[in-house]
Every structure is written in structure tokens, then in C-alpha cells.
Amino acid sequence: MGIGDVFWLLFMLSAVQPVLQQKMLEASRLRVLSRFERKRRSRAIALVHRQETMSFLGFPIVRYIDINDSEAILRAIKLTEPDVPIDLIVHTPGGLVLAAGQIAHALRRHRAKVTVFVPHYAMSGGTLLALAADEIVMDPNAVLGPVDPQLGQQPAASVLTVLEHKKPEHIDDQTLILADVSRKAIVQVHRTVQELLSERMSAEQASALAEKLSTGVWTHDYPITSEEGKSLGLPISTEVPQEVYDFMRLFPQPTRTRPAVEYVPARYGTREGRRLSQRQP
């Protein structure tokens, strides 16, 4: 075998290796989900938007809740018998209101218990999904977020403040149009949240919470902790099963020359953790 053949073989291996690694990760995720389903006797669905290196060129891809996600989850719900519980693992910065709303309403209509697990964060549209659940199981350090609509990079609630501080004749047509759309978007999201909450709290409580979550009371990235969520009346617990963490570990971040976070991967306070820490120089 000549040098050229060796070079070509190495090139082919380097091109195929990321694909094989990705397939192995996908198989590992399915095994964890299957184990989780057997343990809880439920249908397990995962909605995870985490940066991954998908191609051999190494470009990271970042995703959000979109129509493809809603179609896939709606198919999974349809394949689930009405009396089978649904466990949804959510890890997302948010996404399209249309897609998140479709998923949320489908979860709300499911007859058996729906549990949403939040191991790290479920912001914006992810919170909308959590509001549709009978129970929200969060890591003690995980967060939810407000669901106020965003128009491009502009919070709809902030666009409306322009009308309060300027006379109409001093506002350009484009801003007036955005303000009109913003008002409609807030009303629509408020109604959706109120509908999702109406079965577990009074109409007055549901309307008040929908007002707080959808009208820009907080910034869009405001972290709602499990403690604050409970105080708002949400059915939150913090007993996240180990399988959820095992599943999330199978979404590695893009390879860097030096990792930004480093630690000894052992549970300290155990015999193994003490042994490993004692071996450190």
C-alpha cells in the first residue's frame, strides 16, 4: 500500500468517524429512554436543544423549538394510548410560539398523567410545555422562564412602551405596525397560558399568572427557580430520576482545544470520590 493509499484511508476514516460516533450516541440515548420507560411504565419523549458537532467539518449546530419538533412530538403522543403516562424531558432555550403551543395543547389533552422533566433549563417555549404538565420535575438548580412573545430580537412588551412615551405623529409606520402585532401576540400567548393553567387553578389565579408570564413583567431570560415556581402555584417537585441525568450526559458539546469546565467526574462524599481526590497532586 502506497503513501497515497494510506492518506486516502485516513481521510475516509476521519470522515466516517463522526457519523459512527453520532449513531452510537443515538443508540445509547434510546437505551436510556427505554430503561426510563420500563421503570416508570410510561412513554418517554425527549426535546433537547443542545449544541452538537454534527458534521465531520466540526461546525456546531444550535436549534430551537420548530415545526419539525412539534410534528415529531405530536406523532409520538398519537402513538401513545390515552391511559399511558407521558414523560417529557425538556432542555431548550425556547422557539416558535406556534410549535410550542401545538405541543402544549396536545399534552394538555392527553388523558393520563403528563410529567415534564427539566434537568437544566426550559425557557420561553419550553416553559409553555411545562405549564401543560400535571407535574413539573426540576433539578433544584434548574430554571424556567417567562413566555412573553418576541418579535425578532424585540420583546413585544417593550415595543408597546414606545406608544406610551411618544405621540403617534412622532412614531414611524413600521413601529406602529410592530406595536399592533405585539399587542395581538401578547393577547394570544396570555390566552394560551390561561387555558393551560385553568384546569389546576381558579380562573382568577390562572389569569393573574398568565399576566405575569406573558406581558413582560420580567426580562425574557429571567430565571424562574423551582422555589419561585412553587410560590406561583405551579406543581413542581425536585426529585429528578438518575436516568434523566444519564440521558443528558449523552449530548456532548463541540470539541474545543481546551474544555471551559473541568472537574473530577465522581460523586464526592462517596468512597470513590474520596479515593480520587486523594490521588490528586
Side-chain angles (χ1 to χ4, degrees):
M1 181 181 293
I3 297 297
D5 294 331
V6 173
F7 177 80
W8 179 250
L9 180 60
L10 292 175
F11 175 78
M12 292 298 295
L13 289 175
S14 64
V16 173
Q17 183 183 11
V19 177
L20 294 177
Q21 289 178 335
Q22 185 64 27
K23 293 299 182 183
M24 291 174 64
L25 279 174
E26 291 173 0
S28 298
R29 293 168 191 163
L30 287 177
R31 284 196 296 271
V32 174
L33 282 182
S34 296
R35 187 168 73 244
F36 189 47
E37 288 181 331
R38 290 194 299 271
K39 178 180 178 180
R40 292 179 55 86
R41 298 182 179 179
S42 66
R43 158 80 74 178
I45 307 171
L47 178 65
V48 177
H49 293 138
R50 192 168 182 179
Q51 196 177 81
E52 281 189 86
T53 303
M54 300 294 292
S55 71
F56 72 94
L57 295 177
F59 293 117
I61 297 175
V62 180
R63 293 188 55 227
Y64 303 89
I65 301 175
D66 58 21
I67 296 300
N68 291 325
D69 295 324
S70 63
E71 290 177 354
I73 292 180
L74 292 181
R75 285 194 295 269
I77 295 174
K78 194 171 183 63
L79 289 172
T80 306
E81 291 297 320
D83 294 326
V84 176
I86 289 179
D87 291 330
L88 178 63
I89 301 172
V90 180
H91 177 82
T92 181
L96 296 179
V97 175
L98 170 61
Q102 281 186 299
I103 299 170
H105 282 301
L107 293 173
R108 188 73 262 169
R109 293 189 188 100
H110 189 69
R111 189 164 64 196
K113 181 179 180 180
V114 174
T115 306
V116 167
F117 294 88
V118 184
H120 300 296
Y121 77 136
M123 306 298 286
S124 190
T127 298
L128 199 63
L129 305 186
L131 296 178
D134 298 298
E135 182 182 15
I136 306 169
V137 183
M138 300 172 60
D139 180 88
N141 298 308
V143 295
L144 304 175
V147 297
D148 55 307
Q150 310 292 296
L151 301 181
Q153 300 298 318
Q154 309 299 325
S158 297
V159 174
L160 291 179
T161 61
V162 175
L163 304 185
E164 300 173 2
H165 296 90
K166 286 188 176 183
K167 297 180 179 180
E169 59 268 23
H170 296 154
I171 303 175
D172 63 273
D173 292 345
Q174 184 64 31
T175 302
L176 288 173
I177 293 172
L178 282 175
D180 181 58
V181 176
S182 296
R183 186 181 295 106
K184 294 173 181 175
I186 291 175
V187 169
Q188 291 167 191
V189 172
H190 184 285
R191 184 174 65 243
T192 297
V193 174
Q194 187 169 359
E195 289 173 355
L196 294 174
L197 296 173
S198 61
E199 294 186 15
R200 76 168 63 98
M201 57 182 66
S202 68
E204 294 77 13
Q205 290 175 314
S207 179
L209 183 51
E211 182 84 11
K212 182 171 289 187
L213 292 174
S214 65
T215 60
V217 173
W218 298 300
T219 60
H220 194 59
D221 61 351
Y222 177 78
I224 300 175
T225 63
S226 58
E227 291 85 357
E228 186 167 11
K230 290 177 184 178
S231 70
L232 293 173
L234 298 178
I236 293 175
S237 70
T238 54
E239 300 297 324
V240 180
Q242 182 59 42
E243 288 83 1
V244 175
Y245 298 114
D246 294 340
F247 181 77
M248 290 304 302
R249 275 198 291 268
L250 297 173
F251 290 86
Q253 295 294 280
T255 303
R256 302 182 180 92
T257 54
R258 184 186 67 81
V261 178
E262 299 182 53
Y263 62 95
V264 177
R267 182 180 293 277
Y268 278 25
T270 63
R271 180 179 301 176
E272 179 191 9
R274 288 193 296 271
R275 178 175 57 81
L276 288 175
S277 62
Q278 291 171 359
R279 290 173 56 185
Q280 302 304 310

